[in-house]
Amino acid sequence: MKVILLKDIPKLGKKGELKEVSNGYGRNFLIPRGLAVEATSSELAKLRAQREQREKREEMIRRKSEELLKKIVQKHFRLKAKAGSSGKLFGAITSKDIAELISKELKIEFDKKHIILSDNIKKLGEYEIELKLPGNVRGKIKLSIEGSEAE
């Protein structure tokens, strides 16, 4: 019997997949528990429609992310921070600080989870920061950390 999974089921498959299962397993376990529906022609048509909608939505998200990335990459960001004479910062620059800078400079909402930092920035200098936007869109921005000497 062919079924369409409505939820992820370990060792069987993920939501939305079409699977071949034994009649007993399908009728006595999967369907009564709401884990799957029988793969009729109407259910298959519904599955195709849902898949097409999801693909359109993902494409739209990817396109928006690419446009945002183009806007962000064109700009060189500068951040002022207090530092000692050796160039070491008092504190550290985190992904939250960078996200706030991008939001302020471009007047857009930008989430810190889109910034990939292996470690917080603790020294003055030029940095290349990697971004990962929704839709698996990746890019890099340039960031200058400029300091003022502490007294």
Side-chain angles (χ1 to χ4, degrees):
M1 133 181 266
K2 288 191 179 202
V3 295
I4 299 171
L5 300 178
L6 299 175
K7 295 183 180 173
D8 291 353
I9 301 171
K11 299 181 184 175
L12 183 59
K14 299 206 178 279
K15 179 181 176 180
E17 287 183 354
L18 180 67
K19 289 291 180 175
E20 180 74 38
V21 295
S22 67
N23 288 339
Y25 185 54
R27 290 199 201 310
N28 298 327
F29 183 78
L30 295 174
I31 294 172
R33 286 185 168 78
L35 300 174
V37 291
E38 192 169 352
T40 62
S41 59
S42 64
E43 290 294 333
L44 289 171
K46 225 191 288 185
L47 178 66
R48 272 193 293 278
Q50 287 174 347
R51 199 172 279 156
E52 287 172 7
Q53 281 181 336
R54 186 174 348 112
E55 287 172 0
K56 285 179 185 175
R57 191 170 42 249
E58 288 171 357
E59 177 64 25
M60 188 178 73
I61 289 171
R62 191 181 59 73
R63 231 180 297 118
K64 282 184 178 179
S65 293
E66 286 174 349
E67 289 172 17
L68 177 62
L69 185 66
K70 284 179 188 175
K71 200 186 298 183
I72 292 173
V73 170
Q74 291 172 355
K75 192 150 178 62
H76 184 87
F77 295 95
R78 287 174 170 53
L79 190 63
K80 292 213 181 261
K82 289 187 179 180
S85 58
S86 65
K88 189 174 179 188
L89 297 177
F90 295 140
I93 305 296
T94 63
S95 57
K96 180 182 176 199
D97 299 323
I98 298 168
E100 287 173 357
L101 176 69
I102 292 171
S103 295
K104 191 176 100 182
E105 295 269 329
L106 298 177
K107 296 172 181 57
I108 57 169
E109 282 292 316
F110 195 81
D111 198 348
K112 69 179 184 177
K113 69 182 178 189
H114 301 311
I115 297 171
I116 299 172
L117 266 183
S118 57
D119 200 16
N120 293 338
I121 299 171
K122 298 178 183 171
K123 289 192 170 208
L124 298 176
E126 296 273 328
Y127 294 92
E128 215 170 65
I129 309 297
E130 188 175 351
L131 303 177
K132 183 180 179 201
L133 300 173
N136 207 21
V137 175
R138 292 176 172 265
K140 293 186 178 190
I141 60 168
K142 290 190 166 91
L143 175 69
S144 296
I145 307 295
E146 300 166 350
S148 56
E149 296 236 345
E151 293 149 26

